[in-house]
Amino acid sequence: MTTLIRGGTVVGPTGPVKADVLVDGETIAAIFAPGSSPQIDHVIDATGKYVIPGAVDAHTHMELPFGGTHASDTFDTGTRAAAIGGTTTIIDFAVQRTGEVVQDGLAAWHGKADGNCHIDYAFHMILGGVDDESLKAMDQLVAGEGISSFKLFMAYPGVFYSDDGQILRAMQKARDNGAMIMMHAENGPAIDVLVKQALERGETDPVHHGLTRPQELEAEATSRAIWLASVAADCPLYIVHLSASKALEQVRNARDLGKNVFAETCPQYLYLTLEDQLGAPGFEGAKWVCSTPLRSRHETHRADLWQGLRTNDLSVVSTDHCPFCFKDQKELGLGDFSKIPNGIGGVEHRVDLLYQGVVDGKLSLARWVETIATTPARMFGLYPRKGIIAPGSDADIVLYDPNGRTRISAETHHMNMDHSAWEGWEIDGRVDTVIARGEVIATGGEYTGRAGRGRYLKRGLSDYLL
């Protein structure tokens, strides 16, 4: 079917422009100046609305096993919620557990996602054990499976942790095959010491999750990852969920030296704080236990992160969507904060929360679109199929109403969670219509998509690497 989106303001990485968008089947056919488009029977009126590319969330964890339980969103519920919130592509993390064959871990994630996704999806690969076989698998996944990014952990000893030697070997392999190394940068062994000491003192409340993961241990690990990547012939390095000023300083310094270093942050670090959320009375703060943790409002973290987005020292905003219900899941940590499953749900709200940054004067419209759509698509080998409104690109399009209003609540969200990290928040804007590969799947608050329409995307290499 041919559809004309008429009367809107198309927003891309170069800024807003009045234009009409012609969709033919699953792709964008043409962009016309106002008044110059052909006569089309099927027209969507976008007057007064922004027409933006469907958002790309490059960091989600559907059904992730963690902390004795599983993330509460399936690929069905999680991608449906993402779609309603204006995200039309996710990149989730397939997991190789220690001792497992990498390809078996990938096959397990294909089994979870296949036939269940409402939107298009791709995978990164978590390497739970770096050895000769997993290094060979990296080449095979890049060449044959369209997986061009691999996540390592400097945290969680005994679970996902890789030591510096393993990290260096993986970085050397990535430098050879063009892949990106994604790094959870926290000094896990040092954190474990602080956690043990806190529990011995009887400090068991959720706030101590943040207090035992100080920003210095994020900055130290970030710096160490950057220097290891430098030893590996400037291996491409992407720091996930960066939360703190001192870690951002390490990234900024590396980028000023021209290194292949990139970083993302998440909405929770732009808005929420250790005192106000993680430090909520009693056990309530467990709702906001995530790693890296929320940071203190008495320091400059949030202002520094917004500035990092404006200057491109922070390239992407992802969600690190890893939801757990409060009842029976977060409650696993009653009396011991170290047993609270780590994760916050937010895949449905990222587009809105970052648009509030535009309203508040912290981001431009162009930078909003870059951080939620264009840059993640380019960073992870999906551009120009995704992340841009341009002829030949997939017709993943969101009509965003700047005059609308969104109230976030567990009563109305579509994620499989019994609470909201953003309960009661009001956003000065609203996702009006969501189009995925040419099909309207949500409009005016009504969802018309379906599980199984999402396709697996084989990715290329990052556009940002020479």
Side-chain angles (χ1 to χ4, degrees), residues 33-165:
S36 65
S37 55
Q39 293 297 313
I40 300 294
D41 289 338
H42 188 247
V43 174
I44 297 176
D45 184 7
T47 302
K49 298 179 179 65
Y50 296 126
V51 181
I52 67 172
V56 178
D57 193 339
H59 189 158
T60 67
H61 295 287
M62 308 300 175
E63 303 182 42
L64 177 73
F66 190 88
T69 185
H70 289 74
S72 56
D73 262 324
T74 64
F75 279 90
D76 180 358
T77 63
T79 60
R80 182 176 185 270
I84 292 168
T87 290
T88 54
T89 303
I90 63 165
I91 313 179
D92 205 81
F93 286 84
V95 178
Q96 176 223 12
R97 297 175 183 85
T98 303
E100 183 179 47
V101 175
V102 172
Q103 289 87 345
D104 290 348
L106 174 59
W109 252 256
H110 275 299
K112 295 173 189 282
D114 185 35
N116 294 313
C117 292
H118 294 250
I119 55 176
D120 291 351
Y121 63 98
F123 291 133
H124 310 288
M125 191 78 218
I126 290 175
L127 296 180
V130 177
D131 55 23
D132 291 344
E133 291 306 310
S134 61
L135 292 171
K136 291 177 185 176
M138 287 175 69
D139 284 338
Q140 191 268 322
L141 265 59
V142 171
E145 302 292 339
I147 293 176
S148 54
S149 44
F150 298 87
K151 186 178 180 183
L152 301 174
F153 289 78
M154 303 171 100
Y156 306 126
V159 184
F160 290 132
Y161 176 76
S162 292
D163 64 32
D164 288 356

Side-chain angles (χ1 to χ4, degrees), residues 67-337:
T69 185
H70 289 74
S72 56
D73 262 324
T74 64
F75 279 90
D76 180 358
T77 63
T79 60
R80 182 176 185 270
I84 292 168
T87 290
T88 54
T89 303
I90 63 165
I91 313 179
D92 205 81
F93 286 84
V95 178
Q96 176 223 12
R97 297 175 183 85
T98 303
E100 183 179 47
V101 175
V102 172
Q103 289 87 345
D104 290 348
L106 174 59
W109 252 256
H110 275 299
K112 295 173 189 282
D114 185 35
N116 294 313
C117 292
H118 294 250
I119 55 176
D120 291 351
Y121 63 98
F123 291 133
H124 310 288
M125 191 78 218
I126 290 175
L127 296 180
V130 177
D131 55 23
D132 291 344
E133 291 306 310
S134 61
L135 292 171
K136 291 177 185 176
M138 287 175 69
D139 284 338
Q140 191 268 322
L141 265 59
V142 171
E145 302 292 339
I147 293 176
S148 54
S149 44
F150 298 87
K151 186 178 180 183
L152 301 174
F153 289 78
M154 303 171 100
Y156 306 126
V159 184
F160 290 132
Y161 176 76
S162 292
D163 64 32
D164 288 356
Q166 292 173 310
I167 290 169
L168 180 60
R169 293 185 74 196
M171 286 178 166
Q172 290 170 333
K173 175 59 71 173
R175 178 72 275 188
D176 289 342
N177 62 29
M180 180 85 72
I181 292 295
M182 307 175 76
M183 189 64 71
H184 180 129
E186 289 184 293
N187 188 319
I191 287 169
D192 281 0
V193 169
L194 297 179
V195 169
K196 183 174 182 293
Q197 292 171 344
L199 293 173
E200 288 173 346
R201 292 191 298 268
E203 298 168 352
T204 61
D205 288 343
V207 70
H208 295 287
H209 170 80
L211 296 175
T212 56
R213 303 178 92 97
Q215 70 154 328
E216 288 80 4
L217 295 184
E218 183 181 355
E220 183 276 332
T222 301
S223 176
R224 183 157 38 99
I226 289 168
W227 286 114
L228 287 169
S230 182
V231 171
D234 199 21
C235 164
L237 175 65
Y238 181 95
I239 304 296
V240 297
H241 49 55
L242 190 147
S243 69
S245 301
K246 291 181 179 179
L248 177 58
E249 182 181 354
Q250 310 309 308
V251 171
R252 181 173 62 246
N253 291 342
R255 290 176 61 80
D256 287 348
L257 294 173
K259 294 184 180 296
N260 279 327
V261 175
F262 310 92
E264 69 177 17
T265 193
C266 306
Q268 52 265 35
Y269 308 120
L270 295 169
Y271 289 108
L272 308 180
T273 71
L274 181 145
E275 291 84 5
D276 295 324
Q277 279 79 37
L278 194 55
F283 192 66
E284 190 76 6
K287 295 175 180 177
W288 294 278
V289 165
C290 60
S291 297
T292 51
L294 304 183
R295 300 300 181 184
S296 175
R297 59 179 161 85
H298 300 301
E299 297 169 325
T300 61
H301 304 290
R302 289 178 294 171
D304 292 342
L305 295 178
W306 281 112
Q307 180 176 320
L309 288 175
R310 290 192 295 273
T311 60
N312 202 35
D313 290 317
L314 290 169
S315 302
V316 171
V317 179
S318 302
T319 57
D320 190 13
H321 176 77
C322 192
F324 298 97
C325 289
F326 189 73
K327 183 70 175 173
D328 296 331
Q329 289 191 302
K330 292 286 189 178
E331 287 179 343
L332 291 170
L334 273 168
D336 183 347
F337 69 86

Side-chain angles (χ1 to χ4, degrees), residues 21 31-32 50 74 81 90 95 121 314 353 372 395 409 427 445-446:
V21 180
I31 297 175
F32 297 97
Y50 296 126
T74 64
I90 63 165
V95 178
Y121 63 98
L314 290 169
L353 289 165
I372 63 171
S409 174
I427 305 296
E446 180 182 353

